[in-house]
Amino acid sequence: MMMMSVAHDHHWTSRRSALAREEGLTLIEVAAALVILSLISLYFLSYFTNSAAQSKLSNQHLSATHLANARLHEIQAMPFDQLQKYATSGRSLPNENRDIYSIHAKISTTYPDYPSHSDFLYIIVTVNWSKDPDLAGEYKHQVSLVGAARRDFAPAGGEHT
């Protein structure tokens, strides 16, 4: 019986020494790992937040471009004589507001990048959005499109003007 007891005690002793030799993580190592994991998580969180903001801005830019293009086509469908009155008077067409967008259209007989011609009028449509809180009356974002109207141009299904 004594032999069994000694063997049994030896078994428990070897287990205790094995546990004592086990190397685990200390509290400082766990805390350092958590700090590193938190920093990595914050980086990815800011990346996703920034991506969402960029996606929203891209969608707004696309919407503004569509609005400017639609307004440009509306103006191009107007009679040339009516457009010429706006161009010679220096007045802009009435502004429009749609949702967060402000749409401005101006008719001109000249445009810096194109030659001047009496049978052409240049249409500049500008869409602004997101008012700048630091600059009164200014906007943070803008899209501008330039098109032309020609005196003898007949829109699809329309008559010569």
Side-chain angles (χ1 to χ4, degrees):
M1 224 18 167
M2 187 76 130
M3 286 290 240
M4 211 178 194
S5 175
V6 172
H8 184 62
D9 285 343
H10 178 65
H11 176 71
W12 283 109
T13 307
S14 62
R15 271 197 162 178
R16 281 188 204 137
S17 61
L19 286 175
R21 282 181 280 147
E22 284 270 333
E23 293 186 26
L25 297 176
T26 65
L27 185 58
I28 292 175
E29 291 170 327
V30 171
L34 285 174
V35 166
I36 292 169
L37 185 61
S38 297
L39 290 174
I40 292 170
S41 298
L42 284 175
Y43 169 77
F44 283 113
L45 181 63
S46 69
Y47 173 77
F48 290 124
T49 303
N50 190 33
S51 294
Q54 283 300 105
S55 178
K56 180 182 177 184
L57 181 59
S58 293
N59 285 336
Q60 289 173 343
H61 192 273
L62 184 61
S63 294
T65 303
H66 285 297
L67 287 170
N69 194 40
R71 184 67 176 133
L72 178 62
H73 287 291
E74 288 172 10
I75 295 167
Q76 285 174 324
M78 295 169 70
F80 188 86
D81 294 338
Q82 184 180 0
L83 295 176
Q84 198 164 31
K85 287 178 187 172
Y86 279 107
T88 56
S89 71
R91 294 180 311 151
S92 295
L93 286 139
N95 293 338
E96 290 183 24
N97 291 310
R98 293 188 188 171
D99 195 24
I100 63 170
Y101 304 98
S102 178
I103 306 166
H104 310 278
K106 183 171 171 72
I107 314 296
S108 178
T109 56
T110 60
Y111 191 76
D113 297 338
Y114 302 103
S116 184
H117 192 283
S118 61
D119 288 337
F120 284 93
L121 294 174
Y122 297 99
I123 305 161
I124 302 100
V125 178
T126 303
V127 178
N128 298 301
W129 72 100
S130 296
K131 286 194 175 188
D132 192 335
D134 298 330
L135 301 170
E138 295 292 321
Y139 290 87
K140 289 182 180 181
H141 307 289
Q142 168 180 310
V143 169
S144 290
L145 296 180
V146 177
R150 194 171 77 195
R151 183 181 305 276
D152 61 353
F153 177 72
E159 302 175 10
H160 286 284
T161 56

